[in-house]
Amino acid sequence: MKVLHVCSELYPLLKTGGLADVMGALPFAQKEIGIDARVLLPAYPAIVAGIPNTVVVSEFDNFAGHVILRYGEYNGLGIYLIDAPHLYAREGNPYHDQWYNDYADNYKRFALLGWVGAELSTGLDSWWRAELVHSHDWHAGLTSAYLFNKGRPARSVFTIHNLAYQGQFSHHHLFEIGLPETMFHIDGLELHGQISYLKSGLYYSDAVTAVSPTYSREITTPEFAYGLQGLLNTLQHQDRLYGILNGVDDQIWSPNNDTYIKDHYKLKSMTGKRKNKKKLQEYFNLPRKSDALLFVMVTRLTEQKGVDLLIESAKDIAQEGGQLVILGSGSPHLENGIRHLAETYPENIAVKIGYDEALSHLIIAGGDVILVPSRFEPCGLTQLYGLKYGTLPLVRATGGLADTVVDSNEDNVKSRSATGFVFNDATPKSLSGAIKNAFLLWAKQRTWSSVRSNAMQQDFSWLISATHYNALYQKLSRDH
């Protein structure tokens, strides 16, 4: 089957979040199981730099101006690039300027992405035609609307990576992006009087997926649906809403061959993990105590990620003689909050504001517990990395976190199903309880090693995810 992924970023060429990690792995895994997968991206400078050798597939003028469609390959994967410098030739973040203001023409930039995605199912490339178009997040949400407007020449799948970001734009832009006024109503593009690119993906696609089974259920409730629970409940009742868990790219995230760390290790040979812990303590100038329980966190500093909960609970780690390392950036008040923690407990807590890919690998390899206390988490990847590296995840029971981590309570430890620590309520008190449980388990080193062994044996490979997507594609193809 010929499958086109429509998206706005791809690791390692351009990354702002987990979407890039997914797109840098899923199409490759699909090719491994025989799917003819390709990817469509805007020709951002970083993308172009990583795919320098391209050929022109098509050249045209439409509502977005003059556009060239190019084709190249990245590590054997076919990539289409939308070459429209007036829209995409901007250094830095693909969505906003250096002051975090959204680009005023985002409605047009991402409408063009969806328009080209639909056109690639009808012969824009005379050598290859998509049979199924799989679009990702609001940036690609209009793809399914354009397919609908063209008579649905291909089947369509839309994946929600994070429902919180919806891509809403003024109604008056509708005539600028080549869609008819008849599609602007509650059974269509309209949401609260605006065009919603995310709602377009939900409403017009043949199937909608969320990036974990639990998240697919959570988004049908008012707490998680951001006003879209009616539509999402309808999709669920129509058997059009699915939850397919993301995977881990073993080529990048594996303690036995991680290119960012020098001291490799594996389940039956864990010496390298102790060495990484020592290097991590040295990097952050913390006491080199191998027996100190070392908590780590690599995250965007937002309330969604539960950073405020940790700021309230971190003193419990320090008072128990544990250590905490945090890498991230985000809301200024949260950055200040964790800086204050490090100043208050310099022997126990260390912080680096910003992002550092190499350091993130050392942190996950060297830590004992990785903290993911999110208020909501569509899938989550850092807890999966923690499992692979034997860095036990401590998570809140939400979304993909609930689907991937099993609490180390007495029964689960006995049955050898425990893989980490889970708490239920998004409160400092509940988080503190899980932190206490981690210290209690750490005091029993043989039991800790058993739980860690079980964690490292969990399989969340992308081949499993690719197989689930293939089953959905085949179902849609049969129903066509």
Side-chain angles (χ1 to χ4, degrees):
M1 179 180 288
K2 294 176 180 174
V3 175
L4 178 71
H5 290 278
V6 184
C7 59
S8 60
E9 49 190 273
L10 184 144
Y11 178 86
L13 301 181
L14 179 66
K15 174 179 174 175
T16 68
L19 171 63
D21 291 317
V22 174
M23 298 318 304
L26 176 58
F28 291 96
Q30 290 180 325
K31 284 176 70 71
E32 281 191 54
I33 63 171
I35 295 173
D36 183 1
R38 296 187 180 186
V39 177
L40 172 68
L41 291 158
Y44 299 121
I47 301 285
V48 173
I51 311 172
N53 300 314
T54 60
V55 296
V56 175
V57 170
S58 181
E59 195 165 350
F60 53 86
D61 292 281
N62 74 351
F63 62 82
H66 187 68
V67 180
I68 299 172
L69 181 65
R70 300 181 180 275
Y71 177 80
E73 290 196 352
Y74 179 71
N75 291 343
L77 178 69
I79 307 282
Y80 290 101
L81 297 179
I82 306 172
D83 186 357
H86 57 292
L87 296 178
Y88 304 128
R90 301 169 192 178
E91 297 292 343
N93 192 285
Y95 316 117
H96 56 71
D97 63 24
Q98 63 267 42
W99 298 284
Y100 290 89
N101 296 314
D102 289 346
Y103 294 121
D105 57 354
N106 273 353
Y107 72 93
K108 186 180 295 184
R109 299 169 78 229
F110 296 111
L112 178 61
L113 177 63
W115 186 90
V116 176
E119 290 294 319
L120 277 166
S121 70
T122 61
L124 191 60
D125 180 351
S126 58
W127 296 96
W128 190 89
R129 183 176 297 192
E131 297 169 311
L132 185 141
V133 182
H134 187 160
S135 50
H136 297 264
D137 261 359
W138 75 261
H139 328 103
L142 284 190
T143 309
S144 299
Y146 287 115
L147 283 168
F148 175 83
N149 197 43
K150 292 174 71 68
R152 303 173 74 193
R155 306 304 271 168
S156 58
V157 173
F158 179 71
T159 293
I160 307 162
H161 295 265
N162 192 335
L163 196 66
Y165 302 101
Q166 301 192 353
Q168 293 192 35
F169 301 98
S170 175
H171 170 219
H172 73 255
H173 291 308
L174 190 65
F175 80 97
E176 296 178 68
I177 58 176
L179 288 171
E181 184 69 28
T182 53
M183 292 176 70
F184 186 78
H185 48 75
I186 193 167
D187 293 323
L189 299 170
E190 188 268 333
L191 183 66
H192 306 311
Q194 293 186 296
I195 308 166
S196 170
Y197 285 33
L198 182 125
K199 185 187 175 188
S200 165
L202 299 178
Y203 186 83
Y204 288 109
S205 297
D206 295 306
V208 173
T209 70
V211 289
S212 70
T214 294
Y215 189 58
S216 73
R217 294 189 292 273
E218 286 177 341
I219 59 177
T220 63
T221 66
E223 182 183 357
F224 292 95
Y226 291 92
L228 289 164
Q229 63 265 28
L231 175 55
L232 288 159
N233 271 290
T234 298
L235 294 174
Q236 187 181 54
H237 293 144
Q238 293 174 343
D239 195 27
R240 289 169 55 203
L241 178 61
Y242 301 82
I244 299 177
L245 195 68
N246 285 339
V248 174
D249 190 341
D250 291 338
Q251 301 300 309
I252 298 165
W253 291 99
S254 172
N256 199 32
N257 58 22
D258 189 324
T259 57
Y260 288 105
I261 60 174
K262 291 181 180 177
D263 299 300
H264 294 131
Y265 60 94
K266 54 187 176 181
L267 187 54
K268 298 284 174 66
S269 179
M270 296 294 289
T271 305
K273 185 159 185 66
R274 289 194 292 275
K275 291 180 179 178
N276 284 302
K277 181 174 182 177
K278 183 181 178 184
K279 284 184 177 179
L280 184 58
Q281 291 168 327
E282 289 173 349
Y283 181 94
F284 281 96
N285 200 28
L286 290 171
R288 284 61 154 173
K289 294 181 178 178
S290 61
D291 61 342
L293 179 56
L294 177 52
F295 294 79
V296 297
M297 191 178 198
V298 180
T299 187
R300 294 196 311 278
L301 301 177
T302 65
E303 271 85 4
Q304 181 217 322
K305 297 295 184 179
V307 178
D308 55 318
L309 305 179
L310 178 62
I311 289 171
E312 293 293 318
S313 305
K315 63 180 182 296
D316 299 338
I317 295 173
Q319 289 168 358
E320 288 284 345
Q323 296 176 337
L324 169 63
V325 164
I326 303 173
L327 171 66
S329 62
S331 301
H333 72 285
L334 295 176
E335 291 183 358
N336 292 333
I338 63 171
R339 281 196 190 99
H340 180 68
L341 284 174
E343 291 165 3
T344 306
Y345 303 102
E347 294 291 298
N348 304 89
I349 299 176
V351 168
K352 181 171 181 179
I353 301 297
Y355 187 72
D356 183 325
E357 186 74 24
L359 180 59
S360 73
H361 285 247
L362 177 63
I363 288 172
I364 292 172
D368 298 308
V369 177
I370 186 162
L371 294 159
V372 196
S374 304
R375 281 182 167 78
F376 71 93
E377 195 65 66
C379 176
L381 290 170
T382 51
Q383 88 279 9
L384 300 182
Y385 303 153
L387 291 167
K388 286 192 70 69
Y389 284 67
T391 305
L392 301 187
L394 190 159
V395 307
R396 194 170 95 76
T398 184
L401 304 176
D403 291 326
T404 54
V405 181
V406 179
D407 186 49
S408 296
N409 60 39
E410 189 175 349
D411 291 341
N412 293 337
V413 168
K414 281 183 180 177
S415 65
R416 293 187 59 83
S417 61
T419 60
F421 310 95
V422 182
F423 68 100
N424 291 313
D425 301 324
T427 63
K429 181 180 178 181
S430 191
L431 172 55
S432 292
I435 289 171
K436 180 181 178 182
N437 290 339
F439 277 106
L440 290 172
L441 190 69
W442 183 250
K444 306 171 186 174
Q445 278 295 300
R446 285 187 64 182
T447 309
W448 183 280
S449 295
S450 174
V451 173
R452 185 175 67 185
S453 172
N454 193 49
M456 293 178 74
Q457 292 179 71
Q458 300 303 301
D459 184 3
F460 294 105
S461 78
W462 272 111
L463 286 175
I464 295 173
S465 307
T467 301
H468 286 308
Y469 278 114
N470 189 45
L472 175 58
Y473 296 165
Q474 297 298 332
K475 178 181 183 295
L476 294 177
S477 182
R478 288 192 301 271
D479 294 346
H480 195 28

